[in-house]
Amino acid sequence: MPGYFGANLDGAKPLNYDDYLKVPQLISLQECKSSPAHHDEMLFIIIHQTYELWFRLILHECDSAMVAMSNNDAILAERQLGRVVEIERILVPQIHILETMLPVDFLAFRDHLKPASGFQSAQFREMEFACGLKDERILAAFNDQPEALERLKKRLVAPTLADGFYDLLFHRGFDVTRSPERSQTELWQTWQEKTAKQLVKIYLTPSQHYELYRLSERMLEIDEYTSLWRYHHVRMVERMIGFKSGTGGSDGVGYLQRTLSYKFFPELWQVRNYLENTSNP
Ligand code: HEM
């Protein structure tokens, strides 16, 4: 039995915290572009890196939830998407840490970032694609990142969380299909209505379809928290740079404002329109 900090009997060095978590590597990854390094650039880098780590876990959980759904395991899928919701919940207030930076402090190192931008976050795009918000035009932003481009191309044709959910519902006797492409606007709208009307069965009597109800609500929450993040991000951006254009070349706040109406699973919101009061007066 080795002592807590001692060597194993076979002489091998026991695993320690830093080796396991690669802390030395992790804390050597913050390379400021400003020179001398501006005090707040460290915050700017760490906050983005932290987001990227959480994005990684979100994708890990979403992929796993897809497998669970294809195995007809709604309970496991719900638990995994529940974790995604909890992660997203903390992604929203993290924005406020950035708001401790003064606009003039950001301006002091902002030019060094150009033309890099959050617009090029491959994992954020992967999350959008996995949740059904697929836009092939986004790929052009990754032409100089072959690995990221490859991952995004795969996600573009892979089933989405909603596809997994509706396959599972179909398996359980609901008259639902996978969604057509969003670009086929009319077909897509008809599909949304038809699907929302099927979902009414779950939402009118949740106790009879409890697993499915909870799974559906977790997906809705993922949608809701992503919108909340978008909202806090655009307000923070306006607070920081006003209506200046973004380092990625967009018109900044104007562009971000237009993304606020995006929804991953519009039919899960639409179902509310078809609910009637069924309790006795
Ligand atoms: C001072 C802080 C920040 C500013 C001023 C800022 C500004 C912007 C601007 C102007 C855009 C639009 C694209 C462009 O032209 O560049 C954008 C997009 C984006 N930013 Fe930020 N950002 C900040 C922090 C963050 C943080 C901490 C994250 C976390 C990952 C983030 C993630 C993103 C993402 C994912 C997009 C793409 C959004 C979309 O296309 O829907 N940003 N940002």
Side-chain angles (χ1 to χ4, degrees):
M1 179 75 185
Y4 192 70
F5 296 110
N8 283 318
L9 287 179
D10 61 6
K13 189 177 166 242
L15 189 65
N16 67 33
Y17 181 89
D18 273 4
D19 289 342
Y20 179 56
L21 297 169
K22 309 261 184 280
V23 179
Q25 291 93 321
L26 196 62
I27 61 173
S28 67
L29 296 176
Q30 293 72 39
E31 288 175 18
C32 293
K33 290 284 178 205
S34 54
S35 174
H38 188 283
H39 177 82
D40 283 0
E41 194 177 351
M42 181 68 105
L43 160 73
F44 189 80
I45 293 174
I46 288 183
I47 197 124
H48 282 84
Q49 289 180 337
T50 309
Y51 271 107
E52 290 294 335
L53 282 176
W54 285 125
F55 291 165
R56 179 153 197 217
L57 188 56
I58 288 175
L59 287 166
H60 180 67
E61 301 298 339
C62 286
D63 288 343
S64 206
M66 288 284 294
V67 174
M69 287 195 273
S70 68
N71 291 331
N72 194 23
D73 191 343
I75 295 178
L76 180 59
E78 188 273 333
R79 271 203 314 115
Q80 289 169 331
L81 295 187
R83 182 175 295 168
V84 172
V85 173
E86 292 309 322
I87 297 168
E88 287 207 312
R89 220 191 278 278
I90 64 153
L91 292 189
V92 175
Q94 274 189 43
I95 287 277
H96 301 312
I97 306 176
L98 261 180
E99 289 173 333
T100 63
M101 179 168 70
L102 305 180
V104 283
D105 283 332
F106 181 48
L107 285 176
F109 64 91
R110 183 173 187 245
D111 280 349
H112 295 284
L113 317 173
K114 286 178 183 166
S117 161
F119 190 86
Q120 302 160 322
S121 166
Q123 294 200 105
F124 184 80
R125 298 309 176 196
E126 279 192 79
M127 289 189 311
E128 286 190 326
F129 286 11
C131 292
L133 214 58
K134 294 180 177 179
D135 184 346
E136 202 171 351
R137 291 168 303 176
I138 295 282
L139 299 187
F142 297 90
N143 280 337
D144 63 339
Q145 293 167 254
E147 275 177 37
L149 186 62
E150 212 39 53
R151 291 203 317 270
L152 283 166
K153 280 184 179 168
K154 275 195 193 145
R155 294 260 178 213
L156 199 61
V157 292
T160 64
L161 271 183
D163 291 337
F165 182 54
Y166 296 117
D167 285 357
L168 185 148
L169 289 192
F170 179 75
H171 190 77
R172 297 204 184 182
F174 288 81
D175 182 15
V176 288
T177 57
R178 287 185 179 188
S179 145
E181 303 235 336
R182 289 186 187 214
S183 52
Q184 299 174 284
T185 316
E186 253 179 61
L187 258 184
W188 187 55
Q189 275 165 1
T190 314
W191 173 87
Q192 272 181 64
E193 266 172 50
K194 186 182 165 226
T195 308
K197 285 178 182 164
Q198 280 293 307
L199 291 167
V200 164
K201 295 179 192 163
I202 298 175
Y203 277 81
L204 274 183
T205 51
S207 53
Q208 284 173 30
H209 308 278
Y210 198 53
E211 290 175 11
L212 301 176
Y213 173 76
R214 284 184 56 97
L215 182 53
S216 179
E217 287 294 278
R218 290 299 85 81
M219 288 169 55
L220 182 105
E221 282 162 11
I222 291 177
D223 216 351
E224 183 173 356
Y225 280 105
T226 306
S227 295
L228 284 176
W229 181 83
R230 289 187 198 276
Y231 181 78
H232 281 264
H233 173 258
V234 64
R235 288 287 77 80
M236 177 275 295
V237 172
E238 184 174 355
R239 192 167 167 182
M240 227 32 93
I241 61 167
F243 284 81
K244 296 193 183 91
S245 53
T247 48
S250 80
D251 64 348
V253 167
Y255 161 75
L256 293 169
Q257 199 76 33
R258 292 191 288 281
T259 66
L260 295 183
S261 59
Y262 290 177
K263 282 200 170 97
F264 291 150
F265 316 110
E267 66 286 358
L268 298 184
W269 297 90
Q270 208 171 331
V271 64
R272 277 70 177 154
N273 298 328
Y274 300 115
L275 296 181
E276 305 278 351
N277 181 13
T278 52
S279 58
N280 292 327

